[in-house]
Amino acid sequence: MARIDGTGSPIPRILRAIALVVVLVFFLFPILWIFLMSFQTNETILAIPPSLAFTPTLINYTSLISGHLQTAAGSLDLPFMHNLFNSVLLSSVSVLVSLVLGVPAAYAFARFRFRLGEDIAFTLLSFRFAPPLLVLLPLSLYFKDLGLANTYTGLIWVYQLICLPLILWIVRGYFEDASPDVEYAYRVDGHSWWRAFTRIAIPLAGPGIAAAGLLAFIFAWNNFVFALILASADKQPVTVGALAFVTASGIQYGQIAAAIVLSIMPTLALALYAQRWLVEGLSLGAVKG
Amino acid sequence: MTLALTSLSKTYPGRHGSSVQAVRSLDLRMDKGEIVALLGSSGCGKTSTLRMIAGFESVTDGGITLAGRRIETLTPDRRRVAMAFEGYALYPPLTIEENIGFGLTARGLDRNEAAKRVREMADMLEIGPILKGRPAGLSGGQQQRASLARALARDADLHLLDEPMGQLEPQLRAILRGRVKAALKARGLTAVLVTHDQTEANAMADRIAVMEAGVLQQYGAPSELRDRPANLLVATFLGEPPMNALPATVEPHGLHIDDVAEDALALPGVALPAVGSKVVLGIRPHRLHLGAGVWRGQVISNQWLGDQAHVVLALGSRIVVAVAHQRVPVRVGETVPLGFGAEHAHLFDAASGRALAHGTASA
Ligand SMILES: Nc1ncnc2c1ncn2[C@@H]1O[C@H](COP(=O)(O)OP(=O)(O)O)[C@@H](O)[C@H]1O
Ligand SMILES: [Mg+2]
């Protein structure tokens, strides 16, 4: 009988290894290429034929960090580091706010049946599939009136459209999976509702909360259109800021590559840090099916 | 009186506007130090009753008084009850020891006292060796005992035990029944024991409440339920094998068993209802004896179970079971006389199932 776990005959094992390599190359090659590009000047990047042998240079990184973009037409000021800071700020505060609002809400939706409960939960989810431009036009008008246009507060508020539904729906599933009897057992021991929630329910849903938080962070980080329309340069994240690399004198490939590498870093770091809980979280979700 | 349930009802809203009436107007009173078993088949509303007492389910109607306090609107943490859950409900990240000790220190017991209590419970329920393990690594029976230990370790006005031994092996169950009962009695605890196992109810409970379809059928001491069942349902639910139930009609000279071509039976000592009444005659299998009597039955099967014989017979178009404590020398297909003493007869109303009269042996 054929074994699929690869411990049997060597042929499936070799085939599996080849398949893995193909998949890895397919997905990782662009990233590797960009990583290499970020250490080259525009000239070596555009050289024909392309060569893997080049003298690495940190010029792209130093100009990004110092904020002065060197182009053929001269020096250009570029607030990339500020954009990066905006991305970190907007994404992390948005996720934190979403967690604070979404986790208790998810718990309520999982534990209590109330009138219109499903409708409210579904409406929140529907924000995820409404085209952003649909909400952006009225929002940008309201934001002007409310004085929220071009503020971090305003952006974090709209980012809830991205983060809150994700967190609500993922975490809700985890709460639904955990038997309420475990909380009841804690409650008959003399603990309040709030303590059962914080001491029992949240830790049991921990992996799910970590997974949802990370996903929400990635979605918030990659958002483009909200910040493009609702904020001006000094509040914009890297996704919008990167537009500035397309200059009158051409496209600065090396600097774009360096910018991409820098802007992947925070998400990557977070993902690696959260990996422990994440794997457990995502696989628990898979088992739940 | 420590617990009083008055007209307690629970209706669950179902999908599409339907609803399930899990408990209907339940009245139950129990005294301090008493063990009461809620006995009934699966789905009859036993767990729902417990969960209302513990405060996990709202009360649709009626009231609950515990130790002099109205508790039906209190939150679970303020009801002073302890519970062993049907699904164990152990906290996965904690060891068994911590699970049991958890509620004790929370209730203000000092550490040494709590540790001692945990030890006692572990010894009683034979879970000493698994105290350091976590719930996920344990069998259902071990988790169930841990859950029971957690409930019994607590001091509370009322202990609610929901099928606390259902997952145990028969031998262990028999041992623990006695130990748990002794422990409850020694500490003067009051307990409601939910079970669908009548042996467990008989062995542990001072009084048994038989429920069916959300309705309390009878509430009384085990002997009372056995000797004077309030209706046909209780009569056939208790006892193994179940009571023989024969539809019959009251005639001027006694009782005529429907579909059995024999003379009417005179039942001395049993007050028969009006002539023409449709009734059901109930006789427990071990009160039916073979070899003598007014009936002729044809043997369908004859099994020796090691300590008793079960003989199934066709009586006209009815089937009856007789139990004897020695081997019975009858063969399948043979026709044998059988009968019973009128003092062991029970009469029930055919339409409502309500008990009408019991033979003098039940007095
Ligand atoms: N949370 C619930 N929602 C809807 N129906 C329920 C719920 N809990 C129990 N029921 C129904 O109520 C009836 C009684 O259930 P339960 O009290 O668990 O019975 P038992 O413990 O005697 O087996 C059953 O028909 C069951 O399907
Ligand atoms: Mg039950």
Side-chain angles (χ1 to χ4, degrees), chain A residues 179-193 195 198-204, chain B residues 51 54-56 75-77 81-83 85 87 89-93 102-103 106-107 150 154:
Chain A
S179 161
D181 280 355
V182 178
E183 288 157 47
Y184 287 138
Y186 190 65
R187 295 212 57 194
V188 287
D189 281 346
H191 300 282
S192 66
W193 169 85
R195 278 170 71 97
T198 53
R199 300 282 212 80
I200 305 287
I202 290 190
L204 285 182
Chain B
R51 295 177 75 90
F56 310 150
T75 53
D77 46 315
V81 300
M83 178 147 174
F85 289 78
L90 297 169
Y91 188 47
F102 213 39
R107 287 276 176 186
R150 177 175 65 184
R154 284 266 318 277

Side-chain angles (χ1 to χ4, degrees), chain B residues 12-13 20 22 41-49 57 86:
Chain B
Y12 292 106
V20 182
S41 52
S42 187
C44 71
K46 309 181 296 289
T47 298
S48 299
T49 306
E57 292 290 353
E86 200 173 3

Side-chain angles (χ1 to χ4, degrees), chain B residues 55-76:
Chain B
F56 310 150
E57 292 290 353
S58 63
V59 166
T60 307
D61 202 11
I64 306 171
T65 308
L66 177 60
R69 302 184 303 154
R70 279 300 282 258
I71 61 164
E72 75 268 14
T73 54
L74 298 182
T75 53

